[in-house]
Amino acid sequence: MSPPIASGKSESGTARFLGSASSGILELLIFHPVDTVAKRLMSNQSKIFGDGRTSVESRALLNKIVFKDAANEAFMRKYASLFPGLGFAAGYKVAQRVYKFGGQPFVKDYLNTHHKSVFTNTFGEKTGKTIMHATAGSLVGIGEIALLPLDVLKIKRQTNPEAFRGRGFVTIVKDEGMGLYRGAGWTAARNAPGSFALFGGSAFVKEYMFHLEDYNKATFFQNFCSSIGGAVASITVAAPLDVVKTRIQNRNFDNPESGLNIIKDLIKKEGFAGFFKGLTPKILVVGPKLIFSFTVAQQLIPFFDKAIKN
């Protein structure tokens, strides 16, 4: 998920596509390993520390959870093991970034053109503008379930590679069909408040901290602060449903489990703290991740636009 970017009225759609796609690819290569660690920690259903384990045993268990079969391998093999499902991840990340970076401004422009009075009359001029950005982000986030199959396959490759043994991509798609949309409801339920908090938090910082009339004229520092504010709010708000969504998606294809059963078992075995597993690595990486992707997109979109026009 990403903070609002310029609507780019003077820039071509091709330039926005190339800039956003490049941003997604570069972000993927740098941050995919951290995402894998977070997903594996969220999928783990046992306590790592405590339960009578020594510190050595706990570290060994953590090592096994994070690196799986490469737990006892050399450093480079361990690092390489954090790139499972890179093909699916690349397809998902690039599509997601193009959809997010390009979609939210269009939805915001539509709301501004046709429904601005609803927001301003209800919330006032400044807050209405912030809520409009947040609402546009929420609508785009809900629509992101169209990309769910790629996300499902990426997560399964990261956390449950056994599900792919002896089965290629085409075979899995043919066999599973609409099963690849398993957890769509939970994904929409996570994305709606998560994207609302992301875009709304970013707009709130620009509006009330920096008093910007035109968000697109924010400086690098202002974009950095607004991205961090929105991203941390989004990740925290979406964390409980993100854990549920991840556990639904990482099950074996032939052994699905409902979200309600997962919630019940999670509370019973891990307590409410289980809903926030993997939150710390997500928050630690979300700041540089979002500011990186935001900055790259903002730099490359005008570059590609100029190159195309020339």
Side-chain angles (χ1 to χ4, degrees):
M1 293 179 284
S2 310
I5 67 172
S7 56
K9 291 182 180 179
S10 62
E11 295 156 352
S12 68
T14 302
R16 294 187 65 185
F17 171 81
L18 292 174
S20 300
S22 299
S23 171
I25 292 171
L26 292 173
E27 177 188 339
L28 177 78
L29 293 176
I30 295 173
F31 294 102
H32 186 66
V34 182
D35 183 52
T36 297
V37 171
K39 288 291 191 300
R40 289 177 177 177
L41 288 174
M42 284 192 289
S43 299
N44 170 56
Q45 299 184 31
S46 62
K47 288 185 177 181
I48 299 174
F49 299 97
D51 285 349
R53 293 189 184 91
T54 65
S55 60
V56 174
E57 291 171 335
S58 295
R59 287 197 298 271
L61 178 60
L62 177 62
N63 188 49
K64 182 68 175 176
I65 291 169
V66 171
F67 297 108
K68 292 189 173 290
D69 294 340
N72 298 318
E73 300 289 344
F75 172 78
M76 288 307 297
R77 287 186 177 273
K78 282 185 175 181
Y79 182 70
S81 73
L82 298 178
F83 283 90
L86 186 59
F88 300 125
Y92 175 70
K93 180 56 66 179
V94 172
Q96 182 197 45
R97 283 300 179 226
V98 171
Y99 173 76
K100 282 272 191 178
F101 279 128
Q104 192 271 350
F106 282 116
V107 176
K108 187 266 297 177
D109 288 344
Y110 173 84
L111 294 176
N112 188 53
T113 301
H114 299 282
H115 305 285
K116 181 179 180 180
S117 61
V118 175
F119 290 93
T120 55
N121 291 340
T122 304
F123 303 103
E125 187 70 30
K126 294 178 68 174
T127 303
K129 184 165 67 170
T130 301
I131 297 296
M132 188 186 301
H133 274 268
T135 302
S138 184
L139 292 173
V140 169
I142 293 172
E144 198 176 329
I145 60 175
L147 305 176
L148 193 59
L150 287 172
D151 191 27
V152 170
L153 294 172
K154 174 184 77 90
I155 290 175
K156 285 187 187 296
R157 282 291 294 163
Q158 287 176 310
T159 62
N160 188 17
E162 292 79 12
F164 286 78
R165 295 273 166 85
R167 304 171 74 193
F169 173 75
V170 175
T171 301
I172 291 175
V173 172
K174 181 180 178 181
D175 291 347
E176 302 305 323
M178 292 303 294
L180 292 174
Y181 282 94
R182 189 178 298 124
W186 292 99
T187 300
R190 179 204 67 164
N191 286 358
S195 294
F196 186 93
L198 174 69
F199 287 95
S202 178
F204 179 88
V205 172
K206 290 179 179 179
E207 184 72 39
Y208 290 95
M209 286 186 63
F210 298 117
H211 309 290
L212 294 172
E213 292 186 8
D214 185 354
Y215 296 167
N216 300 327
K217 293 182 179 179
T219 64
F220 178 89
F221 178 72
Q222 290 168 337
N223 278 325
F224 177 85
C225 293
S226 62
S227 295
I228 299 302
V232 172
S234 174
I235 292 296
T236 305
V237 167
L241 288 175
D242 197 29
V243 171
V244 175
K245 179 189 82 81
T246 298
R247 294 192 180 184
I248 289 174
Q249 293 176 334
N250 71 13
R251 301 280 296 182
N252 278 323
F253 289 110
D254 58 353
N255 186 30
E257 188 173 7
S258 72
L260 291 177
N261 283 338
I262 287 175
I263 291 175
K264 183 175 64 176
D265 290 343
L266 188 150
I267 294 174
K268 181 180 179 181
K269 296 178 181 178
E270 304 165 60
F272 285 96
F275 284 111
F276 294 93
K277 277 191 171 180
L279 179 61
T280 299
K282 281 245 176 197
I283 289 179
L284 289 175
V285 76
V286 89
K289 183 176 182 178
L290 287 185
I291 192 61
F292 176 84
S293 60
F294 181 85
T295 302
V296 170
Q298 288 290 79
Q299 293 294 324
L300 290 185
I301 290 174
F303 170 81
F304 282 121
D305 185 63
K306 184 177 179 180
I308 292 171
K309 289 179 178 178
N310 289 338

